Amino acid sequence: MDDNEFQLEAPFKPTGDQPTAIAQLVAGLKSEQQFQTLLGATGTGKTFTIAATIAQHQKPTLVLAHNKTLAAQLCNELRQFFPHNAVEYFVSYYDYYQPEAYIAVSDTFIEKASAINDEIDMLRHSATRSLFEHRHVIVVASISCIYGLGTPAEYLKAAIPLKVGMEIDQREMLKQLVSVQYSRNDIELKRGNFRVRGDVVEIGPAYEDRIVRVEFFGDEIEAIRYVDPVTGEILHTVGGLNIYPARHFVTPEDTLQDACNDIDDELKKRIVELETNGKLIEAQRIDQRTRYDLEMLREVGFCNGVENYSRHLARRNAGDPPECLLDYFDDDWLLVVDESHVTVPQIRGMYNGDRARKTVLIDHGFRLPSAADNRPLKADEFWEKVNQCIFVSATPGVWEIELSEDR
């Protein structure tokens, strides 16, 4: 994959109003206009116009769509336009998701239930890996990208660098793999697993469907190869690579202990607060639930609903916005909001719905108050992270048009 620049390939050239639109959009980006709107009816080639603009602008780009289906369509089109560059797909990895909730009227608690799509999880990891390793990347995402994703700095710091000729004890390497959430499985090698066969360690990276085979000679890495997971055929040999964590939420052991201590302190204060207000059942409930989670965190570094403790694990202050996919981009990137008349209201609405559900859980002792900070970005927090943006729509809203200095 060539990462020198975006290389647009298309069987046709811009026609009609497209050359003018491309020129105006590129000029607006060069003059550092923050917002622009591309107005065009369905079927007029807005995606090609955006692709041509990206090719001239040469900056990493996030394309935001309002649902998975539209995101997949855009991703496939952009991959055809940019076959030599990284075009990634980042959407919610849940095939089914029932969030944790409490219905006070009927005293009904609904446990979180979900089914994760393994392939989409792989594509999410592939997107963040590409943002670290390539400058010219396009990520097509749904609104799920505004939810917390773990700290980019910790994720990058936890990556395991491997190079041919590097001296490392095999057992030490296995410990490092376990520390970044990989599991040993000598029978079936899947994503997020590794296995050992003598002087060979085979790893199923979380972000691709190929196997990485690391061959040792004593304590020295003799070869690193990509292998087909089905046939075992060697695809190609590399001089070095990074193994990124199997999960986006990575917490160093010392940080985990500090976080557990903070959770314990918050729990004690919350119990006193609930008991003072005569909420004895709620106090008992939060004490039992949180102490169980703390024991799991301290023993295995993970618990069900661990995301509800993300503020402590990420060492954020109360009220601070979570770090999300946007933070994996560098400071100079482009946002394209497709079907902006639908997508922009979604950005505004995500926080309010999440907050209402969490407040009920907190009030009735199911979660600590810090769980409220496991949330999507507020609309103003989202737009503060945006450097430059192009809205794309056949029927743009008044808000987008008013923001755009040149349309």
Side-chain angles (χ1 to χ4, degrees):
M1 184 179 293
D2 188 355
D3 192 44
N4 293 327
E5 61 180 10
F6 282 120
Q7 301 175 38
L8 177 65
E9 292 189 8
F12 42 77
K13 294 182 179 180
T15 58
D17 293 333
Q18 288 177 340
T20 303
I22 295 167
Q24 289 181 349
L25 289 171
V26 172
L29 293 172
K30 287 183 178 178
S31 63
E32 298 186 354
Q33 288 181 212
Q34 186 174 9
F35 297 101
Q36 300 182 81
T37 298
L38 175 62
L39 173 63
T42 302
T44 55
K46 296 191 294 296
T47 303
F48 174 66
T49 301
I50 289 297
T53 302
I54 292 171
Q56 292 192 39
H57 189 51
Q58 293 293 326
K59 299 288 174 67
T61 302
L62 173 64
V63 180
L64 199 58
H66 61 83
N67 62 48
K68 291 182 179 181
T69 304
L70 179 59
Q73 178 185 333
L74 288 169
C75 186
N76 287 332
E77 289 182 21
L78 290 170
R79 282 176 177 169
Q80 292 175 358
F81 290 136
F82 297 102
H84 304 294
N85 298 102
V87 180
E88 304 287 354
Y89 182 64
F90 188 99
V91 300
S92 170
Y93 54 29
Y94 293 112
D95 284 334
Y96 167 76
Y97 183 69
Q98 168 60 60
E100 190 177 53
Y102 178 67
I103 304 172
V105 175
S106 58
D107 189 28
T108 304
F109 176 69
I110 302 171
E111 289 277 4
K112 174 183 173 181
S114 63
I116 293 177
N117 186 303
D118 194 60
E119 183 174 355
I120 293 179
D121 185 38
M122 179 188 74
L123 294 172
R124 286 165 63 93
H125 280 278
S126 177
T128 51
R129 189 271 300 262
S130 289
L131 288 170
F132 282 132
E133 297 198 341
H134 304 290
R135 166 65 179 166
H136 295 86
V137 180
I138 300 171
V139 179
V140 184
S142 65
I143 299 297
S144 63
C145 72
I146 70 174
Y147 280 82
L149 191 62
T151 307
E154 292 294 345
Y155 184 79
L156 181 60
K157 188 167 67 174
I160 303 171
L162 300 174
K163 291 183 180 179
V164 173
M166 174 181 177
E167 289 194 3
I168 180 173
D169 182 73
Q170 189 188 87
R171 288 172 295 180
E172 177 60 29
M173 177 183 162
L174 301 184
K175 287 180 183 177
Q176 292 181 13
L177 287 169
V178 171
S179 72
V180 293
Q181 306 296 326
Y182 282 83
S183 302
R184 182 166 180 169
N185 188 333
D186 290 333
I187 299 173
E188 182 182 12
L189 186 60
K190 300 184 295 184
R191 288 180 51 253
N193 293 156
F194 66 90
R195 68 184 173 200
V196 183
R197 292 179 172 175
D199 289 336
V200 175
V201 177
E202 293 184 330
I203 306 164
Y207 40 85
E208 58 185 329
D209 54 7
R210 298 176 296 177
I211 291 172
V212 173
R213 178 180 293 166
V214 183
E215 300 174 8
F216 283 84
F217 182 77
D219 287 341
E220 181 180 329
I221 296 178
E222 187 176 38
I224 302 174
R225 313 181 196 276
Y226 279 107
V227 179
D228 187 288
V230 177
T231 65
E233 176 189 358
I234 295 174
L235 301 175
H236 63 278
T237 302
V238 295
L241 49 73
N242 290 325
I243 300 294
Y244 290 94
R247 291 193 180 98
H248 282 110
F249 290 95
V250 180
T251 307
E253 188 172 347
D254 55 341
T255 303
L256 180 62
Q257 293 305 318
D258 291 340
C260 287
N261 292 335
D262 288 350
I263 294 168
D264 197 22
D265 290 342
E266 184 187 6
L267 172 62
K268 292 174 183 175
K269 293 176 183 177
R270 183 59 175 165
I271 290 172
V272 171
E273 181 182 348
L274 290 171
E275 289 178 344
T276 301
N277 292 324
K279 295 185 175 182
L280 302 182
I281 294 176
E282 288 82 353
Q284 183 184 19
R285 181 183 290 150
I286 193 65
D287 182 45
Q288 183 179 18
R289 290 172 63 88
T290 307
R291 291 204 182 282
Y292 175 79
D293 288 345
L294 277 172
E295 186 175 350
M296 292 293 293
L297 284 170
R298 285 177 171 139
E299 292 299 322
V300 300
F302 187 78
C303 70
N304 288 329
V306 66
E307 64 275 5
N308 290 290
Y309 304 107
S310 60
R311 189 188 90 195
H312 295 295
L313 294 169
R315 316 307 291 150
R316 299 198 314 266
N317 295 319
D320 286 353
E323 292 184 293
C324 61
L325 178 67
L326 278 63
D327 296 288
Y328 283 72
F329 284 84
D330 62 20
D331 293 334
D332 190 10
W333 58 282
L334 172 65
L335 172 67
V336 176
V337 183
D338 195 58
E339 302 292 352
S340 60
H341 61 288
V342 179
T343 309
V344 168
Q346 280 191 357
I347 297 171
R348 299 189 190 121
M350 284 290 180
Y351 171 79
N352 293 330
D354 182 82
R355 180 70 180 186
R357 179 177 60 83
K358 291 274 177 59
T359 299
V360 175
L361 289 168
I362 293 168
D363 289 346
H364 291 85
F366 289 96
R367 288 295 172 192
L368 291 172
S370 58
D373 287 317
N374 167 42
R375 59 176 177 82
L377 294 176
K378 299 176 184 177
D380 57 342
E381 293 169 345
F382 175 85
W383 295 113
E384 283 174 7
K385 294 177 181 287
V386 175
N387 184 32
Q388 290 183 297
C389 172
I390 298 174
F391 299 111
V392 181
S393 177
T395 56
V398 175
W399 186 80
E400 299 100 281
I401 294 176
E402 288 178 348
L403 278 181
S404 303
E405 297 173 10
D406 185 19
R407 301 187 290 279

